[in-house]
Amino acid sequence: MISQAERRDAAVRVQGLRKHYGAVHAVKEVDLTSKAGEVVALLGPNGAGKSTMVDMIVGLTKPDSGIVQVFGLPPRQAVLEGVIGAMLQEGALLDDATVIEMVGMVASLHKNPLPVREALRKAGIEDLARRRSTKLSTGQKQRVRFAVALVADPDLLLLDEPTAGMDVRRRREFWHSMQEFTASGRTVMFATHYLEEAEEFADRVVFLRDGSTVADGSVAQVRSLAAGRTLRATVSGVSEPAMRALPSVVNVEVRQDKVAVLSSDSDTTLRALLSRFQHARDVEVVGVGLDEAFLALTSRTRTGESELS
Amino acid sequence: MGSLLRLEIARTFRNPVSMVFLIGFPLALYLLWTKVLPVSAGTGITDFAAYSMVSMATYGSLGGALFIGGAIALERTGGWLRQLAVTPLPGHGYVVAKLVAGMLGVLPSIVAVLAAGAALGGVRLAGTTWVVLVPLIWLGVLPFAALGVALGYSLAGQSANMAMIVVYFGLSVLGGLWVPVEALPDGLRAVAEYSPAYQAGSLGWRALDGLAPTGTAVAVLAGWTLLFCALAVWRYRRAL
């Protein structure tokens, strides 16, 4: 348990974090500080470095360099103190054990656990207590793993793709049971590649791509990013760098004379485009959804770099 | 840690596959060797029913010890160890619980084959001999628990089980647990004497005649135990 004074500290403090596997830089120089009580989404495509980040924050993976602290403690210490509850992507259950056996066993490893029944109730699986994991659906298994994370009564919950393999309804139910936890002012950090999850359930969204933070802001800021527009025009003799040099440009695509520019402020970009390229024609301005903004920010995989999840 | 150990023990004794494989199979082989096939001919062993009883008890428990590693490999590749790694369980807690529960699970296969020897094989021994046989056979298979752990932390999922079956049958045959080493070709026989399964068996075989383990047996078993433990510790550290 964490004292009130410590609770005011950063929940997670990550500084200059780096990790590489062979030639692949899974995480390169990430800085991230989350306040206690915040719900942070780590958003990015596969291979962005989300899982590596989560593994380093829970102390499963040792960073090459940089600092990780959870409520001022090194990760392993935080796990020992029961400060962290984690639901990892490849964490599994035992086929031949019942739900209550597994959750109960993990509970008794902790100094101040939740009562097992309460953890099951919070995860919405009270009725599955005596069931063996071979008899559980994917969504139910995820909930059991959620109960395993909750039973530590942690101050920080770390969830790596917690709703993977769930359908839309199950995902909603899952996040509903999560809200009870966050309502008590505790901190949650979750990795996801579902944009709507990040948008709906996080206070703050951190975009990761190729192991670096490409955007970090409140959900409102992310929404304003999504309020961006795409400008299309035909400009003869155009070059990509010239397009990128325009103000408020987020992303550029050039195909022969045709350009598509994603802009966070289309008015400014359009004025500059028209004054610099007076021969531009067929100008068109269309709104983009959050999905496109997200794709533009995260999906450019540079050639020569392999993906790593 | 006590709670993990309790769960592991419960799992060991409720696993029907391993109970059949490690009790049923040695029992069936015992009856085959002593009741059906004339294996005893030409080995010069006087009380073959007792000899084979010790062989099969050693064979069954050897498998139980070795396959501790099979469970480790499955749970390691399946992700259960990752789950445990984010709890306050100390790093060695898992492997210790596995070893203790697994070695307890070995006892039923020893007792079952000894019981079959008495009830069906007509084996008659002094009371003290029955009593010392159980711990002797049990101690004899300890090196295989270490070998199992080493394999469990080296190989993934099903390939670990395949490798263990090969090691299990190979060492059992070489060690004269299936067919007495006296029936093996001379070259193999010389090797067999230094193999862990043969020396594990020798503890019980000698006890039948009221003899203490030989110095060679103790030295060979201790040597293999140390080697397999070193291997297990090395693989365990690498796997973390």
Side-chain angles (χ1 to χ4, degrees), chain B:
Chain B
M1 226 208 100
S3 57
L4 177 63
L5 183 58
R6 273 195 303 281
L7 178 60
E8 286 299 337
I9 291 171
R11 291 179 62 216
T12 302
F13 287 99
R14 76 161 73 122
N15 187 335
V17 178
S18 67
M19 284 290 139
V20 168
F21 189 57
L22 301 173
I23 297 177
F25 212 49
L27 270 181
L29 281 176
Y30 176 62
L31 296 176
L32 189 68
W33 297 161
T34 54
K35 297 282 178 194
V36 185
L37 299 175
V39 180
S40 62
T43 55
I45 295 162
T46 44
D47 189 355
F48 188 74
Y51 182 91
S52 183
M53 174 186 78
V54 168
S55 304
M56 282 302 116
T58 309
Y59 168 72
S61 52
L62 189 159
L66 193 61
F67 278 93
I68 293 171
I72 291 176
L74 278 178
E75 288 163 17
R76 193 170 59 86
T77 36
W80 176 243
L81 262 69
R82 272 170 69 81
Q83 195 85 61
L84 288 179
V86 288
T87 70
L89 182 75
H92 61 272
Y94 169 78
V95 70
V96 169
K98 271 291 192 232
L99 279 169
V100 173
M103 286 308 290
L104 279 176
V106 156
L107 289 171
S109 47
I110 301 177
V111 173
V113 178
L114 295 190
L120 306 170
V123 178
R124 296 290 170 265
L125 300 171
T128 48
T129 308
W130 288 114
V131 172
V132 295
L133 273 179
V134 177
L136 276 179
I137 294 170
W138 190 79
L139 283 172
V141 300
L142 275 177
F144 296 93
L147 177 60
V149 171
L151 290 172
Y153 279 103
S154 304
L155 301 165
Q158 286 304 328
S159 60
N161 273 332
M162 287 306 298
M164 272 175 222
I165 288 172
V166 171
V167 169
Y168 183 27
F169 289 175
L171 286 179
S172 297
V173 170
L174 178 67
L177 297 182
W178 280 23
V179 175
V181 284
E182 283 77 4
L184 292 179
D186 285 347
L188 269 183
R189 214 171 127 176
V191 179
E193 312 247 327
Y194 294 97
S195 79
Y198 174 77
Q199 292 300 355
S202 81
L203 303 184
W205 294 325
R206 285 178 63 85
L208 291 176
D209 298 330
L211 299 171
T214 60
T216 316
V218 174
V220 167
L221 286 174
W224 284 113
T225 307
L226 281 177
L227 179 71
F228 292 150
C229 281
L231 201 63
V233 168
W234 173 55
R235 296 310 305 176
Y236 167 78
R237 293 226 169 109
R238 273 190 65 106
L240 291 188

Side-chain angles (χ1 to χ4, degrees), chain A residues 55 58 60 76 79-80 82 84 86-94 96-98 101-102 105-106 108-110 132 145 148, chain B residues 1-8 10-12 14-15 75 77-91 240:
Chain A
D55 283 0
V58 297
L60 275 182
R76 181 63 193 160
V79 168
L80 289 177
I84 301 181
M87 192 173 153
L88 302 168
Q89 207 174 2
E90 279 151 26
L93 303 172
L94 296 171
D96 54 3
T98 63
E101 279 178 327
M102 287 182 282
M105 189 276 290
V106 173
S108 60
L109 295 173
H110 285 280
R132 291 211 182 168
R145 293 174 45 220
V148 166
Chain B
M1 226 208 100
S3 57
L4 177 63
L5 183 58
R6 273 195 303 281
L7 178 60
E8 286 299 337
R11 291 179 62 216
T12 302
R14 76 161 73 122
N15 187 335
E75 288 163 17
T77 36
W80 176 243
L81 262 69
R82 272 170 69 81
Q83 195 85 61
L84 288 179
V86 288
T87 70
L89 182 75
L240 291 188

